[in-house]
């Protein structure tokens, strides 16, 4: 990292210190916030302190149990995905379908408006948006390491991607604003049922109708809702395609349903399914590497001394990079087969700060509770029984 002092860690105690114990000693860092704001604007992922706390409170109702357990949002879209899978053994790519699924689902939850990414016409738009989204994130990652000037070279394509993303999200925001009526009834929004899809954007609109702030709110919701869960789905199904034994155990576990949709309580009882989700999150955490910047001189509990077990000083301005991908594969935590996909390890495993797929501490992922009612759960219920999946 050019011009930066960086400490790398895969130690759970160090990570706990950064994310929780000494949370106030660290921030996202000006470089990260400045780079991300070019695409994602001013919101929960690009702010610290009081501003971040405010955005988090606005999002919290969108992760209520009522919304997370309302599978109607997923049912129609999953039916479309399953019907798109060829039954003759032809190779196909699931990831674009999962990206589209999560864009539609996130849009419904946060603003009450689907973007119809799984429709024939919408799939083209979703593909273009996903490419612009992915390419822009790669550019922003480079900006973190090499400075913001790297964004504006003539061959990066960053300006075009930025413009397309903003245009796409602006259209959704325009729909939301058009449908929103402040005087539609006499019931204050705070007193309405928490499960109303789109309540997040309604809360934001009550505070401002500034199109840039509304776009930022929704763009950051797309980032958190699309990339993380679609990555989990893609990685898990990638593993299942290579493990018919695991697929068979999953089918056996849900056989009692006899094709009907499970209740929320029944989903929670599917232990092997939960083990599979945990194992995919362990091997492929949604955010494999993250960082914080010290805002004052502080300490980490480990890393110093001859054996690396003594505390070390972290000077103000030092970057602490914590690598969840590597920590999740440590043999001293997960066994000598830590690099293998083995759901059974979760039968007796009781991880703590050595398993952080959703980050932790005050900035922990708001959507972490949805792991028990995930799109994968519902996708498995929609998949034909005794279906054959394999990797060529």
């Amino acid at each position: 990292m050019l011009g930066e002092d960086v400490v790398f860690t895969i130690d759970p105690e160090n990570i706990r210190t950064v994310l929780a114990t000494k949370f106030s000693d660290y921030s996202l860092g000006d470089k990260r916030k400045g780079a991300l704001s070019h695409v994602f604007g001013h919101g929960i992922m690009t702010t610290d302190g009081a501003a971040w706390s405010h955005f988090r409170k606005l999002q919290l109702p969108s992760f209520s149990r009522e919304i997370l357990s309302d599978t109607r949002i997923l049912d129609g879209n999953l039916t479309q995905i399953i019907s798109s899978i060829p039954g003759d053994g032809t190779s196909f790519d699931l990831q674009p379908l999962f990206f589209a699924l999560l864009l539609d689902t996130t849009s419904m939850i946060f603003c009450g408006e689907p973007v119809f990414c799984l429709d024939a016409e919408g799939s083209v738009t979703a593909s273009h948006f996903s490419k612009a989204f992915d390419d822009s994130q790669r550019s922003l990652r480079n900006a973190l390491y090499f400075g913001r000037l790297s964004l504006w070279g003539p061959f990066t394509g960053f300006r075009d991607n930025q413009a397309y993303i903003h245009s796409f999200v602006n259209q959704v925001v325009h729909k939301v604003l058009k449908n929103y009526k402040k005087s539609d009834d006499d019931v204050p929004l705070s007193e309405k049922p928490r499960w109303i899809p789109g309540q997040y954007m309604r809360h934001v609109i009550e505070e401002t109708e500034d199109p840039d702030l509304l776009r930022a709110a929704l763009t950051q919701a797309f980032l958190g809702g699309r990339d993380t869960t679609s990555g989990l789905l893609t990685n898990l199904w990638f593993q299942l395609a290579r493990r018919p034994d695991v697929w068979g155990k999953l089918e056996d576990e849900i056989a009692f349903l006899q094709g009907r949709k499970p209740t929320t309580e029944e989903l929670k009882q599917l232990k092997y399914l939960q083990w599979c989700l945990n194992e995919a999150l362990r091997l492929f955490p949604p955010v494999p590497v993250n960082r914080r910047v010290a805002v004052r001189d502080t300490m980490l509990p480990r890393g110093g001394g001859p054996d690396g077990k003594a505390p070390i000083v972290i000077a103000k301005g030092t970057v602490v990079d914590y690598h969840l991908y590597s920590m999740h594969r440590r043999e001293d935590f997960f066994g000598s087969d830590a690099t293998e996909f083995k759901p059974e390890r979760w039968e007796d495993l009781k991880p703590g700060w050595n398993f952080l797929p959703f980050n932790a501490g005050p900035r922990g992922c708001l959507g972490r509770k949805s792991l028990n009612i995930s799109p994968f759960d519902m996708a498995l219920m929609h998949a034909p029984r005794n279906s054959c999946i394999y990797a060529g």
Side-chain angles (χ1 to χ4, degrees), residues 220-236:
Q220 295 199 22
F222 282 152
L223 176 63
R226 187 204 79 142
D227 287 30
T228 54
T229 310
S230 61
L232 166 61
L233 292 172
T234 301
N235 288 320
L236 182 50

Side-chain angles (χ1 to χ4, degrees), residues 78-242:
L78 284 170
T79 299
Q80 284 185 272
I81 284 182
I82 297 301
S83 65
S84 300
I85 297 176
D88 58 1
T90 304
S91 297
F92 65 98
D93 189 353
L94 270 174
Q95 190 168 53
L97 293 175
F98 287 145
F99 277 153
L101 167 68
L102 268 301
L103 274 178
D104 265 353
T105 303
T106 302
S107 182
M108 276 297 298
I109 289 174
F110 282 97
C111 63
E113 292 287 337
V115 285
F116 302 110
C117 289
L118 289 167
D119 293 349
E121 182 178 343
S123 64
V124 177
T125 303
S127 177
H128 192 170
F129 178 79
S130 291
K131 185 177 186 311
F133 216 60
D134 294 338
D135 289 349
S136 68
Q137 288 184 70
R138 277 188 284 271
S139 297
L140 294 172
R141 180 192 60 204
N142 291 337
L144 285 176
Y145 293 111
F146 305 114
R148 278 186 269 176
L149 287 178
S150 65
L151 295 174
W152 310 114
F155 305 110
T156 66
F158 179 74
R159 290 183 186 276
D160 290 340
N161 290 327
Q162 178 194 48
Y164 186 83
I165 292 168
H166 287 178
S167 174
F168 178 92
V169 180
N170 282 340
Q171 291 178 44
V172 182
V173 168
H174 178 73
K175 258 191 207 179
V176 175
L177 279 171
K178 185 177 179 181
N179 294 336
Y180 175 74
K181 297 177 182 178
K182 290 184 177 178
S183 58
D184 57 350
D185 56 46
D186 296 327
V187 180
L189 186 60
S190 59
E191 297 179 15
K192 291 181 179 180
R194 296 180 68 195
W195 55 263
I196 296 176
Q199 189 162 339
Y200 169 63
M201 287 301 290
R202 287 175 175 266
H203 274 300
V204 177
I205 291 170
E206 280 199 337
E207 293 195 354
T208 179
E209 293 191 15
D210 183 316
D212 289 342
L213 290 177
L214 295 177
R215 184 183 66 227
L218 192 52
T219 306
Q220 295 199 22
F222 282 152
L223 176 63
R226 187 204 79 142
D227 287 30
T228 54
T229 310
S230 61
L232 166 61
L233 292 172
T234 301
N235 288 320
L236 182 50
W237 285 84
F238 182 83
Q239 294 298 322
L240 291 176
R242 286 151 177 76

Side-chain angles (χ1 to χ4, degrees), residues 27-56 59 133 137 140 144 148 166 200 212-213 215-221 223-224 290-292 363:
S27 76
L28 297 181
D30 292 339
K31 182 180 286 189
R32 172 175 169 175
K33 290 184 287 189
L36 293 180
S37 65
H38 288 296
V39 172
F40 301 107
H42 188 70
I44 192 171
M45 295 184 183
T46 53
T47 54
D48 285 306
W52 160 77
S53 180
H54 176 67
F55 286 120
R56 187 176 177 86
Q59 281 199 6
F133 216 60
Q137 288 184 70
L140 294 172
L144 285 176
R148 278 186 269 176
H166 287 178
Y200 169 63
D212 289 342
L213 290 177
R215 184 183 66 227
L218 192 52
T219 306
Q220 295 199 22
L223 176 63
N290 214 326
R291 59 168 37 193
R292 295 290 186 266
R363 292 193 83 120

